[in-house]
Every structure is written in structure tokens, then in C-alpha cells.
Amino acid sequence: MNAIDILIAPLQGFTDAVWRCVHACVMARYGLSLTYFAPFARVEHGVVRPRDRRDIDPAANHNVDLVPQAIFRDVKELTAIIDAFTASGYSEVNLNMGCPFPLQTRKGRGAAVVGNAALLAEVADVIDRYPDCNFSIKMRPGVNTLDEWRPAMEQINAMRLTRVIVHPRRAADGYRGGIDFDTFGEILAQCRHPLYYNGDIQTIEDFNQISERFTAAAGVMIGRGVLARPSLPVEIAAGEEWPVEARRRLWLEIFSDVSRHIIDTTVGGAHQALSRLKPRLEYVEVGVIDRKLLKALKKENNAGRFLSLIETAR
């Protein structure tokens, strides 16, 4: 990689508007302006889900360079989502062709689109109908094998795309097992669009290994690694690892700000707010946050005491 281009991956229930705004604000302090991808929007009962539209509302993402993402099983769903995105003022749409969850792939969405030549042809036609909108793809090599991308690459290369992001695991593997670097290398050699690597970048060493191995890649997309270690983009940009204490302080700062906002704004009260916050504790860099604190936060059911525990740790 000749230049460092870091994209922030979408994770349902975690990289929402609140987290994006807080993280983007912190990154700006260090001179970084990152591009964030929103968790996928989908169609239910013939319309784009209201909560998905709320999450990408420009007013809720005022300081974020945001690319919304569409998941779809046919052209009708896709065009409904694109229309909703463009009506909100967005000029790029990311097409989800990588979601590994069986609930989506069994219905022909997410990673299942890669092996659907007929749908890919229709997607190309849809892209052509929106000349003022840019499109990108986030994909897996396939659902059950690592070869499903091969017959699809000619169609993907022919599409008008700004970039393609590849997570080189089968969808059937979810996030388990090793990354298939050879498959990514093959896709990199055949893809005519700027190609980004995605998958298991947890440390600056992980990034360095990817950038040294795939010098022709346009950049990387990082998801769980940034949730666990919010300083990671800054470390990569500077080429220097932060001390553990600095990483701890930044994680606590971001989690504190996100927690306070969610507790203050969640309609369902403290129980609902904490049910949104506690799963985020699973994404913590090992050995950085005190285990006693994490245990206390997971057990705490009072919102005020929950915030107090975080503030005291800071």
C-alpha cells in the first residue's frame, strides 16, 4: 500500500450513529478524517426500516463522513433503499454482498449475491440508472466455497464502482477460523477496481503484515479492531503503537461518552439503555481494561451507578 486509507466497517448494534460521532470527534483531535460505513439498511414490509433511516439521518451524523449500506435480495429492495439514501442526500451507496448470517444468506441477501449471476446483471443495470450516485461493494468470496467470486468477477469489473472491499472468509465460516490470504491475493490480481482488505486487523502489527504482503491494495477496512482498540487508526497513521495506559484512557473516554448519550436518549429507560451498552463490553482489547471493572459493569443494572463506575475508572 502506497498510502494509508482506513475505512471503518459496519457492525450491527455497535457502530451506530452515536459511536460514529464520538469516535470521529476523537479521531479529528489527532488529525484523522475517516470514512465510516453504516450497518446495512434493509426493507421490511415493502419499505426501508425506520430505525435504519434514523441511523443514517445526516443530523445524527453531523461530523461523520458516512457511506450507508444496502442489503437486498432483488432489484425492488435495492432501488427502494437507494432511493431512501439519495433522498437523505447521500452520494455513495455500499452494496452488501458479504453478510455471513444465515438469516440473510438463506434469503439470497448478503454473501449469497456473489453467486447469483442474474441478480448481479440486474444490479449493474440499477447502478447505471443512478449516474449521480457512486457505488461500492463489500463482499465475501462466497457462501460455502472460496471460489464463488470467480464467475462473478467479470460482472463486478464491468460495474461502475469506486471500490471493492473483501473479507476473505467463506460466509459459512462467519468470523471463525483463519483468513485465506491467498484468496484475497487472487481477487486483488483480478479486480479492476480499488480493492480494500477487511478482516482480523487488531493491532498495528496486523496492519503492517497486510500492507507489506498486499502492496497493490488500496487500503484496509477495520471493524472489531477499532471497537476494541479505538486508537488503532491513529497508531497506524503514525506508525507507532500507543502505550497500554493511553489505549485504556481512550477506550474509557469513548465508552463513557457513548454510554451517557444512550442512557440520556433511550426511550425505554435504563434497562433498555443498558441492554444496548453491555454487549459492547465484549469488544474490549484483552488486558487493557481491568477485569473487575468489566465484571462490575456487566452486573450493574442502575444507569447512574453504571456511569459512575466508568467515570471513576477514568
Side-chain angles (χ1 to χ4, degrees):
M1 297 176 195
N2 296 320
I4 298 171
D5 193 5
I6 302 171
L7 310 175
I8 305 301
L11 281 82
Q12 287 283 347
F14 298 97
T15 61
D16 52 16
V18 176
W19 182 88
R20 293 191 298 262
C21 286
V22 172
H23 190 262
C25 183
V26 170
M27 292 298 98
R29 290 206 312 249
Y30 295 94
L32 290 187
S33 178
L34 304 176
T35 298
Y36 295 75
F37 284 64
F40 63 71
R42 71 171 185 246
V43 170
E44 281 186 352
H45 310 298
V47 299
V48 179
R49 292 191 305 178
R51 70 177 183 180
D52 295 337
R53 298 196 67 162
R54 288 193 298 271
D55 185 60
I56 64 159
D57 184 343
N61 295 274
H62 59 90
N63 64 326
V64 179
D65 177 17
L66 183 64
V67 177
Q69 185 183 82
I71 197 168
F72 56 93
R73 65 178 176 183
D74 54 39
V75 167
K76 185 177 180 180
E77 288 188 351
L78 178 58
T79 53
I81 298 171
I82 295 172
D83 288 342
F85 289 169
T86 55
S88 294
Y90 289 98
S91 58
E92 180 179 344
V93 174
N94 183 250
L95 307 178
N96 185 316
M97 293 164 49
C99 178
F101 301 124
L103 185 63
Q104 298 300 330
T105 58
R106 287 171 186 160
K107 295 180 180 178
R109 300 188 183 98
V113 177
V114 173
N116 189 336
L119 180 54
L120 286 175
E122 293 181 306
V123 168
D125 290 339
V126 170
I127 288 174
D128 290 340
R129 296 207 300 267
Y130 292 86
D132 296 327
C133 185
N134 292 320
F135 291 86
S136 57
I137 286 174
K138 187 175 187 297
M139 62 178 280
R140 297 262 182 146
V143 176
N144 295 308
T145 76
L146 289 168
D147 295 322
E148 293 169 42
W149 64 274
R150 296 183 187 281
M153 188 50 64
E154 183 176 354
Q155 290 175 290
I156 291 172
N157 280 336
M159 294 179 186
R160 180 174 56 82
L161 301 173
T162 59
R163 51 194 154 198
V164 175
I165 304 150
V166 174
H167 183 123
R169 277 189 179 99
R170 302 181 312 156
D173 294 327
Y175 297 94
R176 304 178 305 275
I179 289 285
D180 196 293
F181 294 111
D182 291 340
T183 293
F184 182 82
E186 291 184 59
I187 297 174
L188 179 61
Q190 294 193 33
C191 184
R192 296 175 191 163
H193 306 292
L195 195 74
Y196 288 72
Y197 172 88
N198 171 229
D200 291 10
I201 297 179
Q202 307 283 341
T203 66
I204 189 171
E205 290 81 10
D206 294 335
F207 169 81
N208 288 337
Q209 290 175 9
I210 296 300
S211 63
E212 290 167 7
R213 180 166 183 170
F214 302 112
T215 56
V220 298
M221 173 176 272
I222 310 175
R224 287 161 175 78
V226 174
L227 281 176
R229 187 169 174 166
S231 60
L232 188 54
V234 181
E235 296 176 68
I236 289 172
E240 185 177 356
E241 184 175 74
W242 278 22
V244 170
E245 178 58 23
R247 303 202 308 265
R248 185 190 73 85
R249 286 198 305 267
L250 189 63
W251 188 91
L252 286 169
E253 176 189 345
I254 289 175
F255 189 64
S256 174
D257 289 349
V258 169
S259 297
R260 189 170 298 280
H261 182 91
I262 287 177
I263 287 170
D264 288 346
T265 60
T266 300
V267 175
H271 176 77
Q272 184 68 22
L274 293 178
S275 72
R276 292 175 59 191
L277 289 168
K278 289 182 180 182
R280 298 168 192 255
L281 298 171
E282 302 303 321
Y283 291 104
V284 178
E285 187 179 3
V286 176
V288 172
I289 305 300
D290 185 79
R291 284 186 292 178
K292 290 183 179 179
L293 172 62
L294 293 176
K295 184 176 180 180
L297 288 169
K298 290 176 183 179
K299 291 176 63 177
E300 184 56 66
N301 293 316
N302 178 278
R305 289 194 294 268
F306 188 90
L307 289 174
S308 180
L309 283 168
I310 302 169
E311 291 302 316
T312 300
R314 291 178 66 182

